[in-house]
Amino acid sequence: MRRRLLFSFVVLAVLVFCGCGEKGTQLEKTNIPMENIVSVYVESEEGSVEIRPGKGKTIQIEASYVITAGNKDRREQIAGYGGENILVTTDTSNPSVLTILSRLSSDVTLRDGENVQINLRVLVPEGIGSVAIQSDSADIAIEDMFGCAYSIVNNAGSIRVKDSVITGKSSFTNIVGDVEMKLKRIDAAEEIRVSTDVGDIRFNCPRSTPYTATIEELSQRGYTLTNKTGGPQISLSTKVGSIRFQK
């Protein structure tokens, strides 16, 4: 079994003095050899998550953080020396899965009005078959990706998929927030499920692709759209919001 890879990004703080009381950091990068990895799993407490295609045979992770607090001393206290309280770790104990975790150290207790956002940008090379993201609060963006299956769960924030290819069975679940999808190809997909409890869904489907789409708004009985025979099963649902399906 491959040894567990665990690292923390030690970031050099670049202080930004502004009225909103935020401290930004420079971007940190690391490369993980792809080797036998076929799946990427990202777990984020709070902050943006961006997935884009990479090059070569490495998975590149870029991380930055922003702290909102009342004054410089408090921001430095939250971050810790050299950013030691901002944790971005990886785990490849399962050789086929790269797990990326971002969180604030449990040694830090935030006060009212304080906030820490850890922003991740993951560059994924071809050969990765699936990407999963679990987030408490994030804006999630997937752009220009080759064929992958996705499992996305977001408690609050937006989910945006643009100019990407979806394969296999995929699901995109938001609790509070909009979902926008503009897909390049879905002919190799079996199932695409998109849902939000509170929010709008905008789904752009490739015009020539066969599909069967079930659309359910405001918890009412859904209706079905069909384009030719075969193709993926598409399910779009929102409890509070609207759905726009375009081809």
Side-chain angles (χ1 to χ4, degrees):
M1 178 181 293
R2 293 170 58 184
R3 66 185 179 86
R4 177 183 177 89
L5 298 179
L6 180 66
F7 68 90
S8 295
F9 286 109
V10 179
V11 291
L12 297 178
V14 178
L15 299 183
V16 179
F17 296 98
C18 58
C20 59
E22 293 185 350
K23 181 178 81 171
T25 66
Q26 292 181 331
L27 205 61
E28 289 290 322
K29 300 179 182 180
T30 191
N31 291 322
I32 303 295
M34 185 174 163
E35 297 183 352
N36 297 319
I37 296 171
V38 295
S39 181
V40 173
Y41 172 73
V42 180
E43 186 172 316
S44 168
E45 286 187 348
E46 185 167 358
S48 65
V49 180
E50 183 179 0
I51 306 292
R52 285 182 174 270
K55 298 179 180 179
K57 293 296 182 181
T58 60
I59 300 167
Q60 187 176 87
I61 305 165
E62 302 173 351
S64 64
Y65 66 82
V66 175
I67 297 176
T68 301
N71 55 62
K72 172 185 172 183
D73 289 343
R74 177 57 182 162
R75 294 192 294 267
E76 290 183 340
Q77 182 183 19
I78 292 172
Y81 178 76
E84 63 186 0
N85 292 330
I86 310 300
L87 306 179
V88 178
T89 62
T90 65
D91 180 3
T92 54
S93 56
N94 180 341
S96 65
V97 180
L98 170 63
T99 297
I100 305 168
L101 306 176
S102 68
R103 62 183 177 85
L104 180 65
S105 171
S106 59
D107 294 333
V108 180
T109 300
L110 296 178
R111 302 168 184 169
D112 289 344
E114 296 179 341
N115 177 266
V116 177
Q117 291 190 333
I118 304 174
N119 301 315
L120 298 176
R121 189 171 190 257
V122 184
L123 304 182
V124 179
E126 288 199 59
I128 299 297
S130 64
V131 173
I133 301 172
Q134 173 84 40
S135 177
D136 288 338
S137 177
D139 289 330
I140 297 172
I142 299 168
E143 295 192 24
D144 301 315
M145 282 292 289
F146 49 84
C148 272
Y150 296 93
S151 177
I152 311 298
V153 179
N154 192 24
N155 286 334
S158 65
I159 299 175
R160 180 167 56 90
V161 183
K162 182 179 179 182
D163 297 331
S164 296
V165 178
I166 291 182
T167 61
K169 295 183 178 181
S170 293
S171 63
F172 304 83
T173 304
N174 225 358
I175 306 302
V176 178
D178 297 339
V179 183
E180 181 179 354
M181 303 188 70
K182 184 178 181 181
L183 304 177
K184 186 181 295 183
R185 285 177 52 198
I186 60 171
D187 51 294
E190 298 176 41
E191 182 179 85
I192 303 172
R193 302 183 65 86
V194 182
S195 66
T196 178
D197 284 356
V198 180
D200 298 332
I201 295 175
R202 300 293 178 262
F203 191 97
N204 286 69
C205 186
R207 185 179 298 272
S208 60
T209 301
Y211 60 80
T212 299
T214 301
I215 298 174
E216 181 180 336
E217 294 177 288
L218 304 176
S219 298
Q220 298 177 355
R221 184 174 179 178
Y223 60 92
T224 300
L225 301 174
T226 301
N227 183 36
K228 303 178 184 178
T229 58
Q233 299 289 318
I234 301 172
S235 173
L236 310 177
S237 67
T238 178
K239 294 179 180 178
V240 180
S242 64
I243 297 175
R244 185 173 66 193
F245 184 93
Q246 293 180 309
K247 60 180 182 177

